[in-house]
Amino acid sequence: MRFSFQRCGRPGAAEGSESQGKKMETIIRGIEGIEEAAEIIRRGGLVAFPTETVYGLGGNALSPEAARKIYAAKGRPSDNPLIVHVSGIKDAEPLVTEITEDARRLMARFWPGPLTLILRKTERIPRETSGGLDTVALRCPENACALRLISESGVPIAAPSANLSGKPSPTEAGHVAKDLGGRIDMILDGGPVGIGVESSILDLSADTPILLRPGAVTAEELSAFLGQKVGIDPAILSGTVSETMHPRAPGMKYRHYAPEAEMYLVTTRLFRDRGEAIGREERELSDRRTARWIRERAERELSEGRRVGILCVKETRPFYPPDSPDGTLSVKVLGSREEMLTMTRSLFRLLREFDEEKKDRIYAESCSDRGVGFALMNRMRKAAGMREIIL
Ligand code: TXA
Ligand code: MG
């Protein structure tokens, strides 16, 4: 397959890009394209590739020019450091001043997997890649295509999520093509991802380990494994960052993805206070109450001429009406509560769909904050700009 995209008309992100003004062809290939992709990385070009979390936009992590191209293609501020992808502990060694005892144990236990570790960098990592910091974020993805790409390239691969800055992270190749088609050399299509929210980030560069971003590897798991309580960066808990706050992950200070629609999370006090401890009957009561409120609100919005999206779970879908034929109301199912990974995998795709359907409002049921739910709710709260209605 060969696709070509127009460069023009996309939101101001390509400014300053080397290839600005030139029409760039973005090749889309399946995993048979890995060798060609590796060649592109070695030449200093950009390749989007699948990982188990989200698609990444990769370039040679040792090349300042490649890093600059990544920032330009995404329209991302260049003080927001990139995650460096390696194929194992051996690759990581020359990039950091020391692999501490904790780091080594964590790598052995959780790599390959959705855990990014922040360590002090050596000068092999250019400041362009680390956003001017003395530390570097390292991760070994659990995806055969990604691992082969790293090995074949022979260099560590710097890769942020492969979305335009301000859009949700891409969970399938089509999302990447939509955002970055015409701006990058190649997209490796490895099908939809398995996890769907970005990796957990653990900072090991200070005295105590601190979680900077929640993901599929949870704080509880990390604390239990390290035998020491892992701190949680306040920027995660507050969800927003004030002028005076200096979040340790620079990315947290930028406005995060929010859909075009005004999004609201809805829950009951009962569920918010008691969470998983809630009994079956109370849970049903809470679900019905939430659904009734959302239904009534949706009807009012529709009668005022707005387009409405509802985000619920499989268990509560029967409480809502069918989608309207004219597209003004659509109800989307994140997945079953029993399968947290189905829910994380669906979130960004469904939010993109609501954008495409030009919804004005989205009402989403709040989910459990427990375990991986903490990562899911973190992304949902950001998308909702922290608007949460408690009944
Ligand atoms: O799952 C993932 O981690 C995906 C896939 C592609 O691997 N990547 C990803 O990258 O989500 P990105 O660039 O969208 O998010 C990286 C986050 C940013 O918030 C950035 O500020 C933070 O990691 N970060 C990177 N290096 C850091 C460092 N040295 N210190 C603190 N935070 C850092
Ligand atoms: Mg990102």
Side-chain angles (χ1 to χ4, degrees):
M1 269 188 293
R2 236 167 212 273
F3 281 68
S4 115
F5 298 85
Q6 285 298 126
R7 284 192 62 77
C8 51
R10 289 178 185 272
E15 255 100 278
S17 149
E18 276 177 13
S19 44
Q20 192 190 3
K22 283 184 230 157
K23 194 175 135 193
M24 185 171 184
E25 200 174 15
T26 300
I27 309 163
I28 303 183
R29 287 261 194 286
I31 46 172
E32 78 284 353
I34 287 183
E35 279 174 26
E36 194 180 348
E39 180 54 35
I40 292 173
I41 299 271
R42 280 196 296 271
R43 275 199 342 252
L46 303 186
V47 175
F49 61 96
T51 80
E52 79 281 35
T53 57
V54 299
Y55 273 73
L57 172 58
N60 179 354
L62 307 180
S63 152
E65 290 78 51
R68 275 195 282 270
K69 279 194 201 168
I70 291 177
Y71 292 119
K74 269 185 73 93
R76 168 169 174 157
S78 57
D79 65 344
N80 189 1
L82 308 172
I83 294 181
V84 174
H85 295 68
V86 293
S87 65
I89 301 186
K90 271 261 155 298
D91 285 4
E93 278 166 355
L95 309 178
V96 296
T97 56
E98 186 198 359
I99 299 192
T100 58
E101 182 54 28
D102 277 353
R104 195 168 293 278
R105 288 184 60 226
L106 287 165
M107 288 171 181
R109 164 70 180 82
F110 292 100
W111 280 10
L115 177 65
T116 296
L117 299 174
I118 311 259
L119 292 163
R120 308 219 143 263
K121 77 173 192 73
T122 58
E123 69 282 5
R124 295 204 63 178
I125 297 287
R127 300 188 78 72
E128 284 77 1
T129 300
S130 73
L133 298 176
D134 298 331
T135 52
V136 63
L138 294 178
R139 153 163 147 77
C140 174
E142 189 174 16
N143 176 288
C145 178
L147 287 171
R148 271 194 56 206
L149 178 64
I150 301 166
S151 312
E152 293 271 338
S153 307
V155 290
I157 297 183
S161 50
N163 51 284
L164 274 178
S165 194
K167 295 279 172 200
S169 293
T171 56
E172 45 194 80
H175 299 161
V176 183
K178 183 116 205 283
D179 279 13
L180 300 177
R183 292 169 170 265
I184 61 176
D185 299 288
M186 190 188 220
I187 300 171
L188 278 176
D189 185 349
V193 301
I195 295 177
V197 292
E198 307 85 346
S199 61
S200 312
I201 303 182
L202 186 68
D203 189 351
L204 293 175
S205 68
D207 294 342
T208 51
I210 297 186
L211 189 73
L212 305 187
R213 181 173 71 184
V217 177
T218 65
E220 294 91 324
E221 236 178 313
L222 291 168
S223 299
F225 181 75
L226 290 173
Q228 162 186 18
K229 197 155 174 53
V230 159
I232 305 222
D233 191 50
I236 297 178
L237 298 173
S238 71
T240 51
V241 177
S242 67
E243 296 273 313
T244 52
M245 237 167 136
H246 297 286
R248 298 163 69 120
M252 304 290 278
K253 76 172 176 270
Y254 297 106
R255 185 174 165 273
H256 246 262
Y257 171 70
E260 299 295 322
E262 216 168 272
M263 175 162 158
Y264 293 86
L265 299 183
V266 188
T267 190
T268 59
R269 185 159 299 283
L270 190 68
F271 182 64
R272 221 236 354 209
D273 294 348
R274 307 256 314 275
E276 294 304 311
I278 197 170
R280 243 194 54 190
E281 272 170 38
E282 281 177 319
R283 176 95 207 212
E284 169 136 8
L285 213 70
S286 164
D287 283 348
R288 287 190 181 277
R289 181 123 195 260
T290 304
R292 186 171 356 106
W293 189 91
I294 292 179
R295 257 186 353 248
E296 284 170 9
R297 179 57 79 99
E299 266 164 41
R300 201 165 86 210
E301 302 274 14
L302 289 167
S303 75
E304 288 168 3
R306 294 193 194 90
R307 301 171 65 84
V308 180
I310 295 175
L311 198 56
C312 65
V313 291
K314 192 169 145 224
E315 289 79 358
T316 59
R317 179 63 186 90
F319 301 156
Y320 297 99
D323 290 3
S324 64
D326 62 358
T328 51
L329 172 74
S330 58
V331 183
K332 298 186 194 288
V333 174
L334 265 179
S336 165
R337 267 183 195 137
E338 307 298 314
E339 296 164 40
M340 191 45 86
L341 282 181
T342 316
M343 295 171 62
T344 54
R345 193 184 295 145
S346 315
L347 178 68
F348 289 146
R349 174 174 51 83
L350 298 181
L351 291 177
R352 279 181 182 259
E353 285 178 18
F354 281 136
D355 271 353
E356 265 160 33
E357 296 168 10
K358 305 234 169 309
K359 293 294 192 271
D360 302 297
R361 295 277 190 278
I362 299 169
Y363 293 97
E365 296 173 348
S366 294
C367 302
S368 161
D369 245 335
R370 263 246 316 253
V372 182
F374 188 52
L376 179 69
M377 276 301 282
N378 171 260
R379 307 313 191 272
M380 287 179 74
R381 288 197 174 108
K382 279 174 186 271
M386 302 307 282
R387 281 181 288 258
E388 189 160 13
I389 290 163
I390 298 159
L391 305 172

